[in-house]
């Protein structure tokens, strides 16, 4: 009878662990869905905001030279900001070392690599 009791306790513990992992994954998904990344040009003439999938959700423009290059640079910077925020949420929920955490972080890092600081100036000259 003791073996059955131990097996039931083990099963209950295992189910609780699975439930906790699922709850953390749902919480991570909820948190990430609500995130945005933002960047502003050095002179403040352009502001860009992207949603959790990296899409541009807001773009404020003023007259500015080399506008196209600056917009593309801002998109990359905002996406990198979002990627960093996702990594923080992964750490706080499922952990960066978990399989889920690694997959999420990798997905964002691949889609939104950090831009080099000198990239826009180098291309523009």
């Amino acid at each position: 009878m003791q073996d059955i009791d131990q097996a039931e306790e083990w099963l209950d513990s295992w189910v609780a662990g699975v439930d906790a992992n699922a709850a953390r994954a749902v919480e991570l998904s909820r948190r990430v869905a609500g995130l945005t990344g933002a960047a502003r040009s050095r002179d403040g003439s352009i502001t860009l905001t992207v949603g959790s999938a990296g899409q541009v959700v807001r773009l404020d423009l003023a007259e500015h030279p080399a506008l196209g290059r600056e917009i593309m640079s801002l998109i990359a910077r905002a996406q990198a900001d979002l990627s960093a925020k996702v990594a923080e949420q992964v750490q706080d929920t499922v952990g960066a070392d978990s399989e889920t955490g690694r997959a999420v972080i990798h997905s964002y890092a691949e889609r939104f690599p950090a831009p080099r600081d000198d990239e826009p100036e180098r291309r523009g000259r």
Side-chain angles (χ1 to χ4, degrees), residues 39-42 70 72-82 115:
R40 180 172 290 188
S41 64
R42 289 185 182 112
E70 188 70 18
M72 294 309 295
S73 174
L74 286 171
I75 288 171
R77 287 173 37 208
Q79 289 169 335
D81 180 58
L82 174 63

Side-chain angles (χ1 to χ4, degrees), residues 17-33 89-90 92-95 98 100-101 104:
V18 169
D19 288 345
N21 286 341
R24 284 193 300 270
V26 168
E27 177 64 11
L28 172 61
S29 178
R30 185 192 64 75
R31 288 182 183 192
V32 169
Q89 295 303 314
V90 166
D92 290 348
T93 55
V94 297
S98 70
T100 300
V104 170

Side-chain angles (χ1 to χ4, degrees), residues 46-121:
I46 303 170
T47 303
L48 179 75
T49 304
V50 298
S52 64
Q55 75 281 17
V56 175
V57 295
R58 184 171 179 169
L59 176 64
D60 296 317
L61 301 173
E63 228 174 285
H64 190 272
L67 190 56
R69 286 188 306 275
E70 188 70 18
I71 290 171
M72 294 309 295
S73 174
L74 286 171
I75 288 171
R77 287 173 37 208
Q79 289 169 335
D81 180 58
L82 174 63
S83 185
K85 289 177 179 176
V86 168
E88 290 174 8
Q89 295 303 314
V90 166
Q91 184 61 43
D92 290 348
T93 55
V94 297
D97 292 332
S98 70
E99 186 176 333
T100 300
R102 286 190 304 272
V104 170
I105 290 171
H106 176 76
S107 172
Y108 274 80
E110 286 291 310
R111 287 186 290 158
F112 310 126
R116 295 187 335 218
D117 289 337
D118 63 344
E119 229 173 270
E121 291 78 15

